[in-house]
Amino acid sequence: GVGLSYAARPGVSLFGGVHKGFAPPGPGAAEGTEVEHSVNYEFGSRVQRGSVGTEVVGFFNDYGNLLGRDTLATGGTGEGRLFNGGKARVYGLETSAQWNAATAMGFPPALPIRLTYTFTHAEFRNSFQSQFGPWGNVRIGDALPYVPRHQLYASVESDHQAWRARLE
């Protein structure tokens, strides 16, 4: 892959990258299981102003073949068998902000507060009868299972010289 970062001005940077993904099915895969491959794109910006930092990132992942795994957590038998998941497209936007409350108030120990939101859209791009029973008959546009559309993350951390504590 290749990634670039550009410092547009002090405290402001733009970045992007294009990467080719590859994952062989490995031993124990069902006969006919193909290699997982994808092209992944990412573009965004970071801004840092004093005790406040923000980041916005757009991403797009184009899978030529997605590998699935038979696990108990996904409703399968738990055998761990790999299988073809077909073409898929995953894209979205992630925004995050961080504020160091201690620095803003003039105190020496760090007290960063972080908040991140991610929107993800993930769908199959071809129709097929899945080898994996819980998936069944997959049609173009069906959502990829187990990929949440909305995710929110928050944390507060206290960072001193001798110790650190974080609540997430």
Side-chain angles (χ1 to χ4, degrees):
V2 62
L4 299 170
S5 180
Y6 172 69
R9 57 184 176 181
V12 178
S13 64
L14 305 172
F15 62 90
V18 179
H19 302 273
K20 175 99 171 118
F22 168 83
E31 187 176 329
T33 304
E34 298 175 12
V35 169
E36 178 178 274
H37 56 93
S38 63
V39 179
N40 310 293
Y41 307 87
E42 173 182 78
F43 302 97
S45 68
R46 290 185 188 98
V47 177
Q48 184 70 42
R49 294 278 185 248
S51 62
V52 177
T54 61
E55 181 174 287
V56 176
V57 182
F59 58 90
F60 180 86
N61 303 321
D62 190 13
Y63 288 87
N65 181 52
L66 179 71
L67 283 179
R69 182 178 295 273
D70 179 0
T71 66
L72 290 173
T74 60
T77 63
E79 295 175 2
R81 199 171 35 92
L82 290 166
F83 54 88
N84 295 323
K87 294 180 180 182
R89 188 176 294 157
V90 179
Y91 59 88
L93 184 69
E94 182 169 282
T95 61
S96 63
Q98 176 178 314
W99 175 53
N100 191 331
T103 302
M105 293 184 263
F107 298 120
L111 186 65
I113 299 170
R114 294 179 182 91
L115 185 64
T116 301
Y117 168 75
T118 307
F119 168 80
T120 306
H121 181 84
E123 65 184 18
F124 287 102
R125 300 303 302 151
N126 63 313
S127 298
F128 62 96
Q129 180 62 41
S130 176
Q131 300 169 18
F132 182 52
W135 285 14
N137 187 20
V138 175
R139 294 200 171 114
I140 293 174
D142 283 354
L144 263 75
Y146 320 111
V147 178
R149 187 170 289 259
H150 304 280
Q151 295 182 77
L152 184 64
Y153 168 83
S155 72
V156 61
E157 182 177 320
S158 182
D159 190 359
H160 296 273
Q161 289 181 351
W163 60 274
R164 175 183 295 169
R166 179 184 296 167
L167 176 65
E168 295 182 337

